[in-house]
Amino acid sequence: MILTAVAAMMLTGCAQNKNAQKTGEVVNNNSIPTVLLTREISPEALVKIYKALGVEATGRVAVKMSTGEGSNPNYLKPELIKNLIAEVDGTIVECNTAYGNAPQDRKDERTTSANHWKVIARHGFTPTFKVDIMDEEGDMKIPVRDTTHLKYDIVGTHMQNYDFMIALNHFKGHPMGGYGGALKNLSIGCGSQNGKAYIHSAGKMEKLDMRRLWTPEFIGDQDGFLESMAAAAQAVTDYFNGKKGIIYISVMNNMSIDCDCVDHPAPVKLEDYGILASTDPVALDQACIDIINQQKVTAKNDPTDLLNRIDKQHGVHTIEHAAKIGLGNRKYTLVEIDK
């Protein structure tokens, strides 16, 4: 069934702040992308929505997801994703992080491959799954179409080992981007450490220097950072569309205002919602934002903090710029597959 119209997407939550309420448009039109939705969050539902997309993951399949920072409890759990990984014979792919000043002082910080592997194991992903830290052996440059800030995207060299990507996203907030979904997973998530620095600095720093990266000299152009994320996301999408393809699935559960990369995230104040999927990452992120906007404040469900974070960080601008450069469409048809 087709769910809601634009007015239905602009309920109580939308009035809470100005930028986050800039919604997409839900229409029934065959010329615009479809976003699928199931309200069930289970291993079976994850496979069901993948199959409902009608795009088969073939060849060597990379499943790009976050395996979570050391003490973060909100990442997508192995028991949830296991059926999907088995269905596509996929490899979970990650890249090392680019934050902190002394990774050797923290056993769980993922700025080194050695520590990253420990976290991956502790969170139960090995030896159950094939896992690959894509920048463990270095990085490579891939083309960007939008050169507003970036001359190229910098990703892990192991990306070239895969033919198809499933961007398996955990939708939640993010301290710097406002929210984390498909576009962040494709850009920051697929960026090597140098690539992360390049995106965060809006093209100013091509080689990671942690002592300088988080200084005002390199961090301060918030819209430039968001636009760089959109450009890098488009680069990864183009890369896999030039091979066997790419699809996008977002799980809306354990939605803190903080990302899975935050070691001790803020408490979850939103109830789990469901799983969404699309062949358009812009439409998918927009649909997730719209769903948060339509949430009513109750004793058990309060979108206020997440909406405020998206607003404060101008998070919707990532979607706006991604649509502007042709990565996808903010209009979409929302189809519930449970009925």
Side-chain angles (χ1 to χ4, degrees), residues 215-261:
T215 63
E217 178 185 1
F218 291 98
I219 298 295
D221 181 3
Q222 178 66 7
D223 279 2
F225 158 54
L226 302 177
E227 290 165 5
S228 297
M229 278 207 295
Q234 185 178 50
V236 174
T237 294
D238 287 348
Y239 182 84
F240 281 100
N241 279 332
K243 297 181 115 178
K244 290 185 178 292
I246 183 169
I247 58 174
Y248 318 92
I249 302 174
S250 290
V251 181
M252 299 186 74
N253 71 344
N254 299 321
M255 290 179 285
S256 167
I257 64 169
D258 287 321
C259 180
D260 298 343
C261 63

Side-chain angles (χ1 to χ4, degrees), residues 105-287:
D105 294 338
R106 289 181 54 195
K107 294 180 181 179
D108 60 350
E109 191 166 54
R110 298 174 298 146
T111 51
T112 68
S113 294
N115 286 342
H116 198 163
W117 280 118
K118 292 176 184 178
V119 177
I120 290 169
R122 189 164 70 250
H123 286 178
F125 291 97
T126 55
T128 306
F129 305 100
K130 295 178 289 185
V131 184
D132 182 6
I133 298 176
M134 291 193 291
D135 64 335
E136 188 169 22
E137 297 180 297
D139 52 33
M140 65 182 189
K141 298 171 182 176
I142 60 175
V144 293
R145 277 192 269 165
D146 172 37
T147 57
T148 305
H149 306 283
L150 307 181
K151 294 178 287 187
Y152 35 71
D153 188 23
I154 309 173
V155 299
T157 56
H158 291 187
M159 185 182 282
Q160 62 192 328
N161 296 335
Y162 302 98
D163 306 307
F164 191 102
M165 176 172 279
I166 299 176
L168 181 56
N169 323 296
H170 177 212
F171 186 86
K172 67 286 180 188
H174 190 274
M176 297 190 72
Y179 82 95
L183 298 176
K184 177 184 176 293
N185 196 20
L186 293 166
S187 55
I188 295 293
C190 289
S192 67
Q193 289 188 317
N194 291 326
K196 288 176 172 64
Y198 194 43
I199 294 167
H200 270 291
S201 66
K204 299 184 187 74
M205 179 180 288
E206 297 184 41
K207 188 171 180 59
L208 175 64
D209 181 346
M210 287 186 186
R211 296 168 300 177
R212 305 175 67 200
L213 176 58
W214 306 112
T215 63
E217 178 185 1
F218 291 98
I219 298 295
D221 181 3
Q222 178 66 7
D223 279 2
F225 158 54
L226 302 177
E227 290 165 5
S228 297
M229 278 207 295
Q234 185 178 50
V236 174
T237 294
D238 287 348
Y239 182 84
F240 281 100
N241 279 332
K243 297 181 115 178
K244 290 185 178 292
I246 183 169
I247 58 174
Y248 318 92
I249 302 174
S250 290
V251 181
M252 299 186 74
N253 71 344
N254 299 321
M255 290 179 285
S256 167
I257 64 169
D258 287 321
C259 180
D260 298 343
C261 63
V262 175
D263 203 24
H264 298 284
V268 172
K269 295 184 179 180
L270 279 159
E271 292 183 312
D272 294 350
Y273 190 86
I275 304 173
L276 293 85
S278 184
T279 57
D280 184 319
V282 177
L284 181 59
D285 274 11
Q286 184 67 66

Side-chain angles (χ1 to χ4, degrees), residues 80-95:
L80 175 63
I81 68 166
K82 62 181 181 180
N83 290 9
L84 177 63
I85 301 294
E87 177 71 26
V88 301
D89 189 23
T91 299
I92 295 172
V93 299
E94 278 265 46
C95 281

